[in-house]
């Protein structure tokens, strides 16, 4: 019996379904969402920031003492250097500046993600070291794109959509001269790593290592914040080490050192 007439429609369907499945996997991947978010932020900068005063530098990977760090966007102006971290997320977002992890909630599903302010802190400090800037000359900015809704009060430098443009434009005091602006641009361009597959792979491996290390570190059982080693100073347990919340006395979460 010739099955070709029966199987041919199946083969035809597979030719359509396989590419659709691959496309669906790509579109739903964190990589693709990140690229879309970065594209939205790039477009907003080009449309709403004066190109003669604000200079956009994208996807900058810089060497650090322990590997590399990748910065989504750097905007250089006379009003300072703005280091922009992009998050393309949806759902409800809960968090504050002190917490180590924030929460994304979509219907009944919740998941933790690293506080983007903490994530951007390393970017800022790396640039400060490279450029020799003080705290008044460099600014950390986080921008959420997508269908995200903040459900807790956020710092002014955590923004949604075009809010990051308004934050940047709210800085009107000149911190740098035109000569310094051009020097900063040249220094970043000369100090960045080339956008090669090898460098991208090395950076991805470095990030994976950092994430694994952070997952091994204890979290505060009360606020999910960072914990530090402390020592009991008095009483029956004097001299005994334990994990205490870094936000003490605001948060008094503790863990026994054996639970490290």
């Amino acid at each position: 019996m010739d099955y070709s007439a029966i199987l041919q429609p199946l083969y035809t369907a597979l030719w359509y379904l396989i590419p659709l499945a691959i496309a669906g996997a790509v579109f739903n991947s964190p990589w693709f969402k990140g690229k879309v978010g970065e594209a939205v932020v790039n477009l907003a900068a080009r449309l709403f920031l004066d190109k003669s005063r604000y200079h956009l530098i994208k996807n900058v990977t810089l060497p650090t003492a322990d590997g590399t760090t990748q910065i989504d966007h750097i905007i250089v102006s006379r009003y300072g250097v703005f280091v922009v971290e992009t998050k393309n997320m949806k759902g409800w977002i809960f968090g504050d500046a002190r917490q180590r992890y924030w929460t994304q909630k979509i219907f009944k599903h919740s998941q933790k993600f690293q506080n983007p302010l903490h994530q951007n802190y390393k970017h800022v400090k790396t640039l400060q070291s490279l450029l020799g800037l003080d705290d008044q000359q460099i600014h950390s900015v986080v921008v959420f794109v997508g269908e995200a809704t903040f459900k807790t009060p956020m710092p002014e430098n955590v923004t949604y959509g075009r809010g990051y443009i308004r934050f940047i434009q709210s800085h009107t005091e000149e911190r740098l001269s035109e000569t310094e602006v051009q020097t900063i641009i040249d220094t970043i361009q000369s100090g960045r790593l080339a956008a090669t597959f090898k460098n991208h792979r090395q950076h991805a491996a470095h990030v994976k290592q950092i994430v694994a290390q952070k997952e091994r570190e204890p979290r505060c059982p009360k606020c999910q914040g960072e914990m530090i080693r402390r020592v009991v100073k008095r009483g029956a347990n004097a001299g005994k080490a334990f994990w205490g919340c870094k936000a003490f006395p605001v948060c008094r979460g503790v863990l026994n050192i054996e639970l490290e």
Side-chain angles (χ1 to χ4, degrees):
M1 181 178 179
D2 185 5
Y3 292 99
S4 59
I6 299 174
L7 295 177
Q8 185 59 42
L10 294 177
Y11 293 147
T12 303
L14 286 175
W15 277 109
Y16 289 100
L17 292 176
I18 291 175
L20 286 175
I22 294 173
V26 171
F27 292 157
N28 287 317
S29 68
W31 172 84
F32 184 79
K33 292 178 181 178
K35 291 300 181 182
V36 170
E38 291 173 16
V40 170
V41 172
N42 290 339
L43 180 62
R46 295 188 183 282
L47 289 177
F48 303 111
L49 290 177
D50 185 345
K51 295 182 181 63
S52 66
R53 293 190 295 163
Y54 298 93
H55 307 274
L56 174 65
I57 308 175
K58 303 177 294 182
N59 295 324
V60 176
T61 301
L62 296 173
T64 63
D66 60 350
T68 59
T69 190
Q70 193 271 331
I71 305 173
D72 294 337
H73 321 272
I74 303 170
I75 297 174
V76 185
S77 73
R78 297 196 307 271
Y79 313 106
V81 176
F82 298 87
V83 185
V84 184
E85 174 67 22
T86 305
K87 292 295 179 186
N88 185 0
M89 305 181 75
K90 62 181 179 179
W92 290 353
I93 306 298
F94 300 83
D96 64 41
R98 298 190 312 273
Q99 290 179 320
R100 184 176 176 184
Y101 291 93
W102 289 6
T103 301
Q104 176 193 34
K105 186 171 184 179
I106 303 175
F107 299 109
K108 295 183 179 181
H109 176 70
S110 297
Q111 68 176 14
K112 301 287 185 181
F113 63 98
Q114 185 183 2
N115 182 336
L117 289 171
H118 294 182
Q119 186 177 358
N120 212 28
Y121 179 80
K122 182 177 182 180
H123 302 160
V124 170
K125 290 304 177 183
T126 300
L127 272 180
Q128 274 190 295
S129 177
L130 175 67
L131 303 173
L133 301 176
D134 62 39
D135 290 342
Q136 301 299 315
Q137 295 173 313
I138 191 165
H139 311 282
S140 174
V141 190
V142 174
V143 54
F144 281 78
V145 298
E147 300 175 1
T149 302
F150 298 144
K151 300 302 287 186
T152 51
M154 292 291 176
E156 64 175 355
N157 62 333
V158 177
T159 64
Y160 178 81
R162 281 179 56 187
Y164 93 98
I165 298 291
R166 291 189 291 271
F167 174 81
I168 291 174
Q169 292 175 333
S170 71
H171 292 74
T172 56
E173 183 176 348
E174 294 192 5
R175 303 289 185 179
L176 300 164
S177 67
E178 282 295 343
T179 301
E180 288 173 321
V181 166
Q182 189 57 53
T183 299
I184 287 171
I185 294 171
D186 293 341
T187 302
I188 293 172
Q189 296 290 19
S190 62
R192 71 191 301 180
L193 297 178
T196 63
F197 175 75
K198 179 181 178 181
N199 286 333
H200 174 74
R201 184 176 59 183
Q202 290 176 342
H203 174 68
H206 177 59
V207 170
K208 186 176 181 180
Q209 181 182 6
I210 292 175
V211 171
Q213 180 180 348
K214 288 185 178 295
E215 287 178 347
R216 291 194 298 268
E217 295 176 354
R219 302 184 200 173
C220 175
K222 290 189 175 182
C223 72
Q224 294 297 308
E226 185 177 352
M227 304 194 82
I228 59 176
R229 289 174 181 266
R230 300 184 186 274
V231 177
V232 179
K233 295 181 179 179
R234 59 177 66 89
N237 293 319
K240 182 179 179 181
F242 67 98
W243 289 107
C245 184
K246 191 174 182 179
F248 178 86
V250 176
C251 178
R252 297 176 178 269
V254 296
L255 286 173
N256 292 329
I257 205 73
E258 290 80 10
L259 297 180
E260 180 181 356

